[in-house]
Amino acid sequence: MQFGSFGGRIRSPQDAAAGVFLVAVAVIALWQGAGLAAGHLNQLGPGMLPRALAVLVGICGLALAVGSFFTAGKGLERWTLRGPVLILGAAVAFGLAVRPLGLAVAGPITMFLGAFASPETRWQESLVFSLVVTAFCVLLFKFMLGLPIPLAPWLLGY
Amino acid sequence: MELFDHLALGFATALSLQNLALCFAGVLVGTLIGVLPGIGPIATIAMLLPLTFKVDPTGALIMLAGIYYGAQYGGSTSAILVNIPGEATSVVTVLDGHQMAKQGRAGIALGIAAIGSFIAGTIATFIIAALGQPLTRMAMLFGPAEYFSLMVLGLAFAIVLARGSVLKAVGMIVLGLLLSTVGTDLETGEERLTFGLVDLSDGIDFAVMAMGLFGFAEILRNLENPESRDVVKSAIGRLLPSKADLKRSLGPILRGTGLGALLGILPGNGAVLGPFASYTLEKRIAKDPSRFGRGAIEGVAGPESANNAGAQTAFIPLLTLGIPPNAVMALMMGAMTIHGVIPGPQVMTKNPSLFWGMVASMWIGNLLLLIINLPLVGLWVRFLKIPYRLLFPAILIFCCIGIYSINNNPADVMFTAFFGLAGYILYKFDFEPAPLLLGFVLGKLLEEKFRQALVISRGSFVTFVERPLSAGLLIAALIILVIAVLPMMRKEREEVFQE
């Protein structure tokens, strides 16, 4: 343990990256809130609180990043693309499809697309399962609970 | 006695046919989803929220509360039958519960968990009923300055009780506060940090954030760590514990209830800490501590009671003061708001049948849990065998339908996907999403009260320290934070979390 090894190596890569992440968020918030009036103490403006909080977030990030030079910690985790892209992509697909195509179409698309986030998925099984679960959801949410979610507007008009 | 009049009103409300059916449905569905591995209570509640949309507020809240402790109990079931905890609060149950199951005593472990939870729930219901009135009266005396200081104290607690790095917990809370400022400014009507998006002008929807950070991000996390599900193969065995088992468990149940009830009221990780504290205590006072970790029934009875007691007393700050103490309660608050009920002291005075009906339904819900879970264990075991490759697409579609249905707005689903990504990033950096969620909810209240207080005092900050109650709360917050940073305490804290 040696103090002042500033030019030295990062000893906790995870904390360093986490710190940089918080600083980046703070910078984005400061940039977005730049046009807002801060006001003064007697009459706080709309920009005062966001700015102060963004600065605090940034300070936390800096402290994490600086601390990562001094205390040993975890390394960076392995990142994967398959899960986030397919799962979140499937959710976005649902958002895009639910109004024009309705639950009857958006449901199977979302489930079938999302299913491939797992390497264990077999496509026949997952296709059948998507249709069954969607049918169940239609029964439950549309008919039993009467939620106003579109079913198949292109076919049924609702 | 006034207390009994209130409880009588509560039971009259909760025992109506409709509310009883809703409570039953909530407990059943909550357990069903909670049993599935990898779905915590927050995701469960968020996912099942649309089920309550067509019901009147009282019925909806009774059902939601039922879903909540159903999910809690379901988590314990999967902790005992499989080696993975369904949620954070049943982490400790895994230690001895799963060992018991391996020894062919799964039924007894489940039985004692249900009995312990029921006793804890009964006592906690009385604590809520007893504390409800005085706390509400106290809340009536609170001005904006006191509310502000109380929430600062709450955030201080959340920092101290957070798991892992203090710095990261602070970062998450402040980030939550920052996110709460997104949207139209209350006083000037100016848009803040909205990136010019119309859908953000009302601010970030709480349910959207919760579902993204917990529902979606949980799926992403589970996909990366292929689970080794170790569903118990041996017979479940008989469910009712023997007299010797009961005798051995009574002490742990009562001590666990006390610890859990106390910690559950505290903001932040309180409800999660109860089971840990109970386990540590039982191990420390046991005649033969080496039995723990090898299937000691005390190691199930104590933490499970603490878990349930804490889950219920966590409602106290929300129902009496209108301040959610943790992320689950924050979600309950969001659900209440959707149903047009603003949590706070006025609920009890203006809508007594809702307040006391909910309190009474907690006891009924616990009784129902006891009755329905014992015969349904076989069904849960079969549920546990559903492979994750089928489970997660089903969760995905339920989440999507749920989110869309809250505002009937497709953009909400997109924002949820965004928060799912954010949750994944936070997980990679080892940040806990729960303090962020708490900071987000308290942030809105904090800013409102902060500004109200300043308007009343004409801009003088002295108001926060001038008013004795407010000053006292702020001093308490300061003391707690100082203690948290002291090196000695930090070491001890790490040790506690190690266990």
Side-chain angles (χ1 to χ4, degrees), chain B residues 6-16 19 23 58-59 61-63 65 69 125 319 347 351-365:
Chain B
H6 290 312
L7 280 178
L9 170 70
F11 275 102
T13 313
L15 284 174
S16 81
N19 288 341
C23 184
T58 308
L61 290 176
I62 285 177
M63 186 169 177
Y69 21 86
T125 304
L319 289 177
V347 173
N351 208 340
S353 69
L354 184 144
F355 181 92
W356 295 105
M358 203 168 154
V359 172
S361 86
M362 291 179 184
W363 186 79
I364 296 170

PDB file of all heavy atoms in Angstrom, chain B residues 6-16 19 23 58-59 61-63 65 69 125 319 347 351-365:
ATOM      1  N   HIS B   6     -61.826   0.864  15.677  1.00  0.00           N
ATOM      2  CA  HIS B   6     -61.191   1.004  14.365  1.00  0.00           C
ATOM      3  C   HIS B   6     -61.004  -0.349  13.710  1.00  0.00           C
ATOM      4  O   HIS B   6     -61.276  -0.533  12.525  1.00  0.00           O
ATOM      5  CB  HIS B   6     -59.829   1.691  14.507  1.00  0.00           C
ATOM      6  CG  HIS B   6     -59.936   3.125  14.870  1.00  0.00           C
ATOM      7  ND1 HIS B   6     -60.778   3.990  14.220  1.00  0.00           N
ATOM      8  CD2 HIS B   6     -59.307   3.862  15.819  1.00  0.00           C
ATOM      9  CE1 HIS B   6     -60.666   5.189  14.756  1.00  0.00           C
ATOM     10  NE2 HIS B   6     -59.782   5.137  15.728  1.00  0.00           N
ATOM     11  N   LEU B   7     -60.491  -1.295  14.500  1.00  0.00           N
ATOM     12  CA  LEU B   7     -60.247  -2.613  13.936  1.00  0.00           C
ATOM     13  C   LEU B   7     -61.549  -3.261  13.496  1.00  0.00           C
ATOM     14  O   LEU B   7     -61.590  -3.964  12.483  1.00  0.00           O
ATOM     15  CB  LEU B   7     -59.513  -3.500  14.941  1.00  0.00           C
ATOM     16  CG  LEU B   7     -58.001  -3.247  15.010  1.00  0.00           C
ATOM     17  CD1 LEU B   7     -57.355  -4.130  16.064  1.00  0.00           C
ATOM     18  CD2 LEU B   7     -57.336  -3.475  13.667  1.00  0.00           C
ATOM     19  N   ALA B   8     -62.631  -3.008  14.265  1.00  0.00           N
ATOM     20  CA  ALA B   8     -63.931  -3.564  13.889  1.00  0.00           C
ATOM     21  C   ALA B   8     -64.365  -3.000  12.536  1.00  0.00           C
ATOM     22  O   ALA B   8     -64.818  -3.733  11.652  1.00  0.00           O
ATOM     23  CB  ALA B   8     -64.970  -3.246  14.963  1.00  0.00           C
ATOM     24  N   LEU B   9     -64.179  -1.695  12.365  1.00  0.00           N
ATOM     25  CA  LEU B   9     -64.495  -1.076  11.075  1.00  0.00           C
ATOM     26  C   LEU B   9     -63.657  -1.703   9.966  1.00  0.00           C
ATOM     27  O   LEU B   9     -64.161  -2.034   8.888  1.00  0.00           O
ATOM     28  CB  LEU B   9     -64.214   0.435  11.143  1.00  0.00           C
ATOM     29  CG  LEU B   9     -64.278   1.180   9.802  1.00  0.00           C
ATOM     30  CD1 LEU B   9     -65.702   1.268   9.302  1.00  0.00           C
ATOM     31  CD2 LEU B   9     -63.667   2.573   9.924  1.00  0.00           C
ATOM     32  N   GLY B  10     -62.375  -1.899  10.287  1.00  0.00           N
ATOM     33  CA  GLY B  10     -61.469  -2.486   9.307  1.00  0.00           C
ATOM     34  C   GLY B  10     -61.915  -3.869   8.902  1.00  0.00           C
ATOM     35  O   GLY B  10     -61.981  -4.186   7.704  1.00  0.00           O
ATOM     36  N   PHE B  11     -62.253  -4.693   9.883  1.00  0.00           N
ATOM     37  CA  PHE B  11     -62.647  -6.058   9.550  1.00  0.00           C
ATOM     38  C   PHE B  11     -63.970  -6.081   8.794  1.00  0.00           C
ATOM     39  O   PHE B  11     -64.161  -6.895   7.897  1.00  0.00           O
ATOM     40  CB  PHE B  11     -62.709  -6.925  10.815  1.00  0.00           C
ATOM     41  CG  PHE B  11     -61.362  -7.473  11.169  1.00  0.00           C
ATOM     42  CD1 PHE B  11     -60.610  -6.912  12.195  1.00  0.00           C
ATOM     43  CD2 PHE B  11     -60.818  -8.521  10.447  1.00  0.00           C
ATOM     44  CE1 PHE B  11     -59.353  -7.396  12.505  1.00  0.00           C
ATOM     45  CE2 PHE B  11     -59.550  -9.020  10.749  1.00  0.00           C
ATOM     46  CZ  PHE B  11     -58.825  -8.455  11.792  1.00  0.00           C
ATOM     47  N   ALA B  12     -64.858  -5.169   9.153  1.00  0.00           N
ATOM     48  CA  ALA B  12     -66.127  -5.100   8.426  1.00  0.00           C
ATOM     49  C   ALA B  12     -65.860  -4.799   6.951  1.00  0.00           C
ATOM     50  O   ALA B  12     -66.488  -5.361   6.057  1.00  0.00           O
ATOM     51  CB  ALA B  12     -67.026  -4.025   9.036  1.00  0.00           C
ATOM     52  N   THR B  13     -64.900  -3.907   6.693  1.00  0.00           N
ATOM     53  CA  THR B  13     -64.570  -3.571   5.306  1.00  0.00           C
ATOM     54  C   THR B  13     -63.880  -4.738   4.608  1.00  0.00           C
ATOM     55  O   THR B  13     -64.254  -5.140   3.509  1.00  0.00           O
ATOM     56  CB  THR B  13     -63.624  -2.357   5.267  1.00  0.00           C
ATOM     57  OG1 THR B  13     -64.139  -1.358   6.128  1.00  0.00           O
ATOM     58  CG2 THR B  13     -63.468  -1.831   3.867  1.00  0.00           C
ATOM     59  N   ALA B  14     -62.865  -5.286   5.294  1.00  0.00           N
ATOM     60  CA  ALA B  14     -62.037  -6.297   4.647  1.00  0.00           C
ATOM     61  C   ALA B  14     -62.782  -7.612   4.466  1.00  0.00           C
ATOM     62  O   ALA B  14     -62.435  -8.407   3.601  1.00  0.00           O
ATOM     63  CB  ALA B  14     -60.761  -6.525   5.454  1.00  0.00           C
ATOM     64  N   LEU B  15     -63.800  -7.846   5.283  1.00  0.00           N
ATOM     65  CA  LEU B  15     -64.505  -9.126   5.190  1.00  0.00           C
ATOM     66  C   LEU B  15     -65.683  -9.091   4.232  1.00  0.00           C
ATOM     67  O   LEU B  15     -66.396 -10.082   4.102  1.00  0.00           O
ATOM     68  CB  LEU B  15     -64.961  -9.573   6.578  1.00  0.00           C
ATOM     69  CG  LEU B  15     -63.847 -10.146   7.460  1.00  0.00           C
ATOM     70  CD1 LEU B  15     -64.347 -10.433   8.852  1.00  0.00           C
ATOM     71  CD2 LEU B  15     -63.253 -11.401   6.843  1.00  0.00           C
ATOM     72  N   SER B  16     -65.910  -7.961   3.568  1.00  0.00           N
ATOM     73  CA  SER B  16     -66.961  -7.964   2.556  1.00  0.00           C
ATOM     74  C   SER B  16     -66.561  -8.961   1.475  1.00  0.00           C
ATOM     75  O   SER B  16     -65.376  -9.212   1.260  1.00  0.00           O
ATOM     76  CB  SER B  16     -67.119  -6.571   1.941  1.00  0.00           C
ATOM     77  OG  SER B  16     -66.130  -6.360   0.962  1.00  0.00           O
ATOM     78  N   ASN B  19     -64.009  -7.756  -1.147  1.00  0.00           N
ATOM     79  CA  ASN B  19     -62.652  -7.512  -0.671  1.00  0.00           C
ATOM     80  C   ASN B  19     -61.956  -8.788  -0.245  1.00  0.00           C
ATOM     81  O   ASN B  19     -60.752  -8.943  -0.420  1.00  0.00           O
ATOM     82  CB  ASN B  19     -62.669  -6.504   0.474  1.00  0.00           C
ATOM     83  CG  ASN B  19     -62.981  -5.114  -0.027  1.00  0.00           C
ATOM     84  OD1 ASN B  19     -62.834  -4.846  -1.224  1.00  0.00           O
ATOM     85  ND2 ASN B  19     -63.442  -4.255   0.848  1.00  0.00           N
ATOM     86  N   CYS B  23     -58.523 -10.024  -1.812  1.00  0.00           N
ATOM     87  CA  CYS B  23     -57.387 -10.357  -0.951  1.00  0.00           C
ATOM     88  C   CYS B  23     -56.890 -11.755  -1.296  1.00  0.00           C
ATOM     89  O   CYS B  23     -55.691 -11.980  -1.471  1.00  0.00           O
ATOM     90  CB  CYS B  23     -57.808 -10.271   0.506  1.00  0.00           C
ATOM     91  SG  CYS B  23     -56.484 -10.536   1.673  1.00  0.00           S
ATOM     92  N   THR B  58     -60.157   0.957  -2.362  1.00  0.00           N
ATOM     93  CA  THR B  58     -59.965   0.099  -1.190  1.00  0.00           C
ATOM     94  C   THR B  58     -59.652  -1.326  -1.617  1.00  0.00           C
ATOM     95  O   THR B  58     -58.670  -1.934  -1.154  1.00  0.00           O
ATOM     96  CB  THR B  58     -61.234   0.102  -0.314  1.00  0.00           C
ATOM     97  OG1 THR B  58     -61.586   1.452  -0.048  1.00  0.00           O
ATOM     98  CG2 THR B  58     -60.999  -0.625   0.988  1.00  0.00           C
ATOM     99  N   GLY B  59     -60.476  -1.852  -2.529  1.00  0.00           N
ATOM    100  CA  GLY B  59     -60.259  -3.211  -3.000  1.00  0.00           C
ATOM    101  C   GLY B  59     -58.910  -3.356  -3.679  1.00  0.00           C
ATOM    102  O   GLY B  59     -58.193  -4.344  -3.470  1.00  0.00           O
ATOM    103  N   LEU B  61     -56.152  -1.647  -3.189  1.00  0.00           N
ATOM    104  CA  LEU B  61     -55.028  -1.631  -2.255  1.00  0.00           C
ATOM    105  C   LEU B  61     -54.969  -2.915  -1.449  1.00  0.00           C
ATOM    106  O   LEU B  61     -53.894  -3.422  -1.156  1.00  0.00           O
ATOM    107  CB  LEU B  61     -55.135  -0.409  -1.333  1.00  0.00           C
ATOM    108  CG  LEU B  61     -54.870   0.882  -2.084  1.00  0.00           C
ATOM    109  CD1 LEU B  61     -55.066   2.077  -1.185  1.00  0.00           C
ATOM    110  CD2 LEU B  61     -53.457   0.868  -2.643  1.00  0.00           C
ATOM    111  N   ILE B  62     -56.140  -3.449  -1.112  1.00  0.00           N
ATOM    112  CA  ILE B  62     -56.157  -4.728  -0.403  1.00  0.00           C
ATOM    113  C   ILE B  62     -55.517  -5.800  -1.279  1.00  0.00           C
ATOM    114  O   ILE B  62     -54.690  -6.594  -0.838  1.00  0.00           O
ATOM    115  CB  ILE B  62     -57.602  -5.105  -0.021  1.00  0.00           C
ATOM    116  CG1 ILE B  62     -58.058  -4.238   1.161  1.00  0.00           C
ATOM    117  CG2 ILE B  62     -57.719  -6.584   0.310  1.00  0.00           C
ATOM    118  CD1 ILE B  62     -59.476  -4.458   1.595  1.00  0.00           C
ATOM    119  N   MET B  63     -55.871  -5.781  -2.566  1.00  0.00           N
ATOM    120  CA  MET B  63     -55.309  -6.775  -3.467  1.00  0.00           C
ATOM    121  C   MET B  63     -53.796  -6.588  -3.627  1.00  0.00           C
ATOM    122  O   MET B  63     -53.033  -7.554  -3.594  1.00  0.00           O
ATOM    123  CB  MET B  63     -55.992  -6.661  -4.831  1.00  0.00           C
ATOM    124  CG  MET B  63     -55.574  -7.748  -5.780  1.00  0.00           C
ATOM    125  SD  MET B  63     -56.618  -7.743  -7.223  1.00  0.00           S
ATOM    126  CE  MET B  63     -55.851  -9.024  -8.177  1.00  0.00           C
ATOM    127  N   ALA B  65     -51.701  -5.208  -1.537  1.00  0.00           N
ATOM    128  CA  ALA B  65     -51.009  -5.632  -0.319  1.00  0.00           C
ATOM    129  C   ALA B  65     -50.925  -7.154  -0.300  1.00  0.00           C
ATOM    130  O   ALA B  65     -49.888  -7.725   0.062  1.00  0.00           O
ATOM    131  CB  ALA B  65     -51.735  -5.103   0.910  1.00  0.00           C
ATOM    132  N   TYR B  69     -47.405  -9.442   0.101  1.00  0.00           N
ATOM    133  CA  TYR B  69     -46.889 -10.482   0.990  1.00  0.00           C
ATOM    134  C   TYR B  69     -47.012 -11.863   0.401  1.00  0.00           C
ATOM    135  O   TYR B  69     -46.289 -12.764   0.819  1.00  0.00           O
ATOM    136  CB  TYR B  69     -47.395 -10.432   2.446  1.00  0.00           C
ATOM    137  CG  TYR B  69     -48.646  -9.720   2.712  1.00  0.00           C
ATOM    138  CD1 TYR B  69     -49.858 -10.360   2.584  1.00  0.00           C
ATOM    139  CD2 TYR B  69     -48.619  -8.396   3.118  1.00  0.00           C
ATOM    140  CE1 TYR B  69     -51.030  -9.692   2.844  1.00  0.00           C
ATOM    141  CE2 TYR B  69     -49.787  -7.734   3.372  1.00  0.00           C
ATOM    142  CZ  TYR B  69     -50.982  -8.387   3.228  1.00  0.00           C
ATOM    143  OH  TYR B  69     -52.126  -7.735   3.476  1.00  0.00           O
ATOM    144  N   THR B 125     -49.686  -6.494  12.601  1.00  0.00           N
ATOM    145  CA  THR B 125     -50.961  -5.821  12.336  1.00  0.00           C
ATOM    146  C   THR B 125     -51.375  -4.980  13.536  1.00  0.00           C
ATOM    147  O   THR B 125     -51.827  -3.838  13.396  1.00  0.00           O
ATOM    148  CB  THR B 125     -52.058  -6.856  12.024  1.00  0.00           C
ATOM    149  OG1 THR B 125     -51.625  -7.671  10.935  1.00  0.00           O
ATOM    150  CG2 THR B 125     -53.355  -6.178  11.638  1.00  0.00           C
ATOM    151  N   LEU B 319     -48.388   4.947   5.325  1.00  0.00           N
ATOM    152  CA  LEU B 319     -49.803   5.201   5.593  1.00  0.00           C
ATOM    153  C   LEU B 319     -50.020   6.379   6.524  1.00  0.00           C
ATOM    154  O   LEU B 319     -51.027   7.073   6.430  1.00  0.00           O
ATOM    155  CB  LEU B 319     -50.457   3.948   6.184  1.00  0.00           C
ATOM    156  CG  LEU B 319     -50.638   2.781   5.200  1.00  0.00           C
ATOM    157  CD1 LEU B 319     -51.229   1.590   5.915  1.00  0.00           C
ATOM    158  CD2 LEU B 319     -51.518   3.189   4.031  1.00  0.00           C
ATOM    159  N   VAL B 347     -55.343  10.195   4.869  1.00  0.00           N
ATOM    160  CA  VAL B 347     -56.017   8.952   4.480  1.00  0.00           C
ATOM    161  C   VAL B 347     -56.830   8.425   5.647  1.00  0.00           C
ATOM    162  O   VAL B 347     -57.989   8.043   5.512  1.00  0.00           O
ATOM    163  CB  VAL B 347     -54.992   7.885   4.026  1.00  0.00           C
ATOM    164  CG1 VAL B 347     -55.689   6.548   3.797  1.00  0.00           C
ATOM    165  CG2 VAL B 347     -54.314   8.320   2.743  1.00  0.00           C
ATOM    166  N   ASN B 351     -60.615   8.895   5.027  1.00  0.00           N
ATOM    167  CA  ASN B 351     -61.048   7.639   4.423  1.00  0.00           C
ATOM    168  C   ASN B 351     -60.764   6.481   5.375  1.00  0.00           C
ATOM    169  O   ASN B 351     -60.005   5.578   5.054  1.00  0.00           O
ATOM    170  CB  ASN B 351     -60.283   7.446   3.101  1.00  0.00           C
ATOM    171  CG  ASN B 351     -61.076   6.618   2.114  1.00  0.00           C
ATOM    172  OD1 ASN B 351     -61.991   5.894   2.521  1.00  0.00           O
ATOM    173  ND2 ASN B 351     -60.725   6.694   0.864  1.00  0.00           N
ATOM    174  N   PRO B 352     -61.378   6.536   6.578  1.00  0.00           N
ATOM    175  CA  PRO B 352     -61.014   5.538   7.596  1.00  0.00           C
ATOM    176  C   PRO B 352     -61.261   4.106   7.161  1.00  0.00           C
ATOM    177  O   PRO B 352     -60.489   3.215   7.513  1.00  0.00           O
ATOM    178  CB  PRO B 352     -61.878   5.904   8.796  1.00  0.00           C
ATOM    179  CG  PRO B 352     -62.943   6.780   8.271  1.00  0.00           C
ATOM    180  CD  PRO B 352     -62.404   7.453   7.060  1.00  0.00           C
ATOM    181  N   SER B 353     -62.310   3.872   6.358  1.00  0.00           N
ATOM    182  CA  SER B 353     -62.585   2.475   6.010  1.00  0.00           C
ATOM    183  C   SER B 353     -61.490   1.931   5.098  1.00  0.00           C
ATOM    184  O   SER B 353     -61.160   0.753   5.151  1.00  0.00           O
ATOM    185  CB  SER B 353     -63.958   2.342   5.360  1.00  0.00           C
ATOM    186  OG  SER B 353     -63.955   2.936   4.098  1.00  0.00           O
ATOM    187  N   LEU B 354     -60.884   2.808   4.284  1.00  0.00           N
ATOM    188  CA  LEU B 354     -59.776   2.351   3.442  1.00  0.00           C
ATOM    189  C   LEU B 354     -58.576   2.007   4.313  1.00  0.00           C
ATOM    190  O   LEU B 354     -57.990   0.931   4.202  1.00  0.00           O
ATOM    191  CB  LEU B 354     -59.389   3.440   2.437  1.00  0.00           C
ATOM    192  CG  LEU B 354     -58.309   3.060   1.415  1.00  0.00           C
ATOM    193  CD1 LEU B 354     -58.609   3.716   0.074  1.00  0.00           C
ATOM    194  CD2 LEU B 354     -56.925   3.487   1.837  1.00  0.00           C
ATOM    195  N   PHE B 355     -58.235   2.917   5.218  1.00  0.00           N
ATOM    196  CA  PHE B 355     -57.058   2.697   6.060  1.00  0.00           C
ATOM    197  C   PHE B 355     -57.206   1.439   6.901  1.00  0.00           C
ATOM    198  O   PHE B 355     -56.386   0.526   6.847  1.00  0.00           O
ATOM    199  CB  PHE B 355     -56.838   3.913   6.963  1.00  0.00           C
ATOM    200  CG  PHE B 355     -55.636   3.792   7.849  1.00  0.00           C
ATOM    201  CD1 PHE B 355     -54.410   4.274   7.440  1.00  0.00           C
ATOM    202  CD2 PHE B 355     -55.735   3.179   9.097  1.00  0.00           C
ATOM    203  CE1 PHE B 355     -53.303   4.151   8.253  1.00  0.00           C
ATOM    204  CE2 PHE B 355     -54.627   3.048   9.912  1.00  0.00           C
ATOM    205  CZ  PHE B 355     -53.407   3.536   9.492  1.00  0.00           C
ATOM    206  N   TRP B 356     -58.302   1.379   7.678  1.00  0.00           N
ATOM    207  CA  TRP B 356     -58.449   0.248   8.594  1.00  0.00           C
ATOM    208  C   TRP B 356     -58.788  -1.033   7.844  1.00  0.00           C
ATOM    209  O   TRP B 356     -58.432  -2.124   8.295  1.00  0.00           O
ATOM    210  CB  TRP B 356     -59.487   0.571   9.667  1.00  0.00           C
ATOM    211  CG  TRP B 356     -59.019   1.694  10.535  1.00  0.00           C
ATOM    212  CD1 TRP B 356     -59.447   2.987  10.530  1.00  0.00           C
ATOM    213  CD2 TRP B 356     -57.970   1.629  11.512  1.00  0.00           C
ATOM    214  NE1 TRP B 356     -58.742   3.734  11.435  1.00  0.00           N
ATOM    215  CE2 TRP B 356     -57.826   2.929  12.049  1.00  0.00           C
ATOM    216  CE3 TRP B 356     -57.128   0.615  11.963  1.00  0.00           C
ATOM    217  CZ2 TRP B 356     -56.890   3.226  13.029  1.00  0.00           C
ATOM    218  CZ3 TRP B 356     -56.199   0.915  12.944  1.00  0.00           C
ATOM    219  CH2 TRP B 356     -56.084   2.207  13.464  1.00  0.00           C
ATOM    220  N   GLY B 357     -59.462  -0.893   6.704  1.00  0.00           N
ATOM    221  CA  GLY B 357     -59.727  -2.076   5.888  1.00  0.00           C
ATOM    222  C   GLY B 357     -58.429  -2.706   5.418  1.00  0.00           C
ATOM    223  O   GLY B 357     -58.263  -3.923   5.438  1.00  0.00           O
ATOM    224  N   MET B 358     -57.484  -1.854   5.038  1.00  0.00           N
ATOM    225  CA  MET B 358     -56.203  -2.366   4.566  1.00  0.00           C
ATOM    226  C   MET B 358     -55.441  -3.039   5.705  1.00  0.00           C
ATOM    227  O   MET B 358     -54.862  -4.114   5.533  1.00  0.00           O
ATOM    228  CB  MET B 358     -55.385  -1.213   4.007  1.00  0.00           C
ATOM    229  CG  MET B 358     -54.343  -1.647   3.040  1.00  0.00           C
ATOM    230  SD  MET B 358     -53.703  -0.216   2.200  1.00  0.00           S
ATOM    231  CE  MET B 358     -52.097  -0.825   1.779  1.00  0.00           C
ATOM    232  N   VAL B 359     -55.470  -2.385   6.883  1.00  0.00           N
ATOM    233  CA  VAL B 359     -54.774  -2.969   8.033  1.00  0.00           C
ATOM    234  C   VAL B 359     -55.374  -4.339   8.372  1.00  0.00           C
ATOM    235  O   VAL B 359     -54.645  -5.323   8.570  1.00  0.00           O
ATOM    236  CB  VAL B 359     -54.854  -2.019   9.251  1.00  0.00           C
ATOM    237  CG1 VAL B 359     -54.316  -2.706  10.495  1.00  0.00           C
ATOM    238  CG2 VAL B 359     -54.073  -0.751   8.972  1.00  0.00           C
ATOM    239  N   ALA B 360     -56.710  -4.399   8.411  1.00  0.00           N
ATOM    240  CA  ALA B 360     -57.342  -5.674   8.746  1.00  0.00           C
ATOM    241  C   ALA B 360     -57.063  -6.716   7.681  1.00  0.00           C
ATOM    242  O   ALA B 360     -56.856  -7.896   7.988  1.00  0.00           O
ATOM    243  CB  ALA B 360     -58.848  -5.477   8.915  1.00  0.00           C
ATOM    244  N   SER B 361     -57.030  -6.275   6.419  1.00  0.00           N
ATOM    245  CA  SER B 361     -56.805  -7.237   5.341  1.00  0.00           C
ATOM    246  C   SER B 361     -55.415  -7.843   5.433  1.00  0.00           C
ATOM    247  O   SER B 361     -55.161  -8.930   4.932  1.00  0.00           O
ATOM    248  CB  SER B 361     -57.000  -6.578   3.981  1.00  0.00           C
ATOM    249  OG  SER B 361     -55.812  -5.965   3.548  1.00  0.00           O
ATOM    250  N   MET B 362     -54.487  -7.124   6.083  1.00  0.00           N
ATOM    251  CA  MET B 362     -53.142  -7.684   6.231  1.00  0.00           C
ATOM    252  C   MET B 362     -53.198  -8.950   7.076  1.00  0.00           C
ATOM    253  O   MET B 362     -52.542  -9.945   6.781  1.00  0.00           O
ATOM    254  CB  MET B 362     -52.220  -6.668   6.906  1.00  0.00           C
ATOM    255  CG  MET B 362     -51.924  -5.498   6.024  1.00  0.00           C
ATOM    256  SD  MET B 362     -50.880  -4.333   6.879  1.00  0.00           S
ATOM    257  CE  MET B 362     -50.828  -3.048   5.646  1.00  0.00           C
ATOM    258  N   TRP B 363     -53.997  -8.877   8.142  1.00  0.00           N
ATOM    259  CA  TRP B 363     -54.101 -10.050   9.001  1.00  0.00           C
ATOM    260  C   TRP B 363     -54.815 -11.173   8.256  1.00  0.00           C
ATOM    261  O   TRP B 363     -54.386 -12.321   8.287  1.00  0.00           O
ATOM    262  CB  TRP B 363     -54.856  -9.682  10.290  1.00  0.00           C
ATOM    263  CG  TRP B 363     -54.858 -10.830  11.239  1.00  0.00           C
ATOM    264  CD1 TRP B 363     -53.826 -11.200  12.056  1.00  0.00           C
ATOM    265  CD2 TRP B 363     -55.902 -11.772  11.442  1.00  0.00           C
ATOM    266  NE1 TRP B 363     -54.172 -12.317  12.750  1.00  0.00           N
ATOM    267  CE2 TRP B 363     -55.439 -12.690  12.399  1.00  0.00           C
ATOM    268  CE3 TRP B 363     -57.176 -11.927  10.909  1.00  0.00           C
ATOM    269  CZ2 TRP B 363     -56.215 -13.753  12.833  1.00  0.00           C
ATOM    270  CZ3 TRP B 363     -57.949 -12.983  11.351  1.00  0.00           C
ATOM    271  CH2 TRP B 363     -57.465 -13.888  12.298  1.00  0.00           C
ATOM    272  N   ILE B 364     -55.892 -10.808   7.558  1.00  0.00           N
ATOM    273  CA  ILE B 364     -56.628 -11.822   6.805  1.00  0.00           C
ATOM    274  C   ILE B 364     -55.734 -12.432   5.739  1.00  0.00           C
ATOM    275  O   ILE B 364     -55.723 -13.642   5.524  1.00  0.00           O
ATOM    276  CB  ILE B 364     -57.889 -11.191   6.165  1.00  0.00           C
ATOM    277  CG1 ILE B 364     -58.822 -10.717   7.270  1.00  0.00           C
ATOM    278  CG2 ILE B 364     -58.595 -12.184   5.258  1.00  0.00           C
ATOM    279  CD1 ILE B 364     -59.971  -9.875   6.762  1.00  0.00           C
ATOM    280  N   GLY B 365     -54.943 -11.580   5.084  1.00  0.00           N
ATOM    281  CA  GLY B 365     -54.027 -12.064   4.053  1.00  0.00           C
ATOM    282  C   GLY B 365     -53.040 -13.074   4.617  1.00  0.00           C
ATOM    283  O   GLY B 365     -52.766 -14.101   4.002  1.00  0.00           O
TER     284      GLY B 365
END
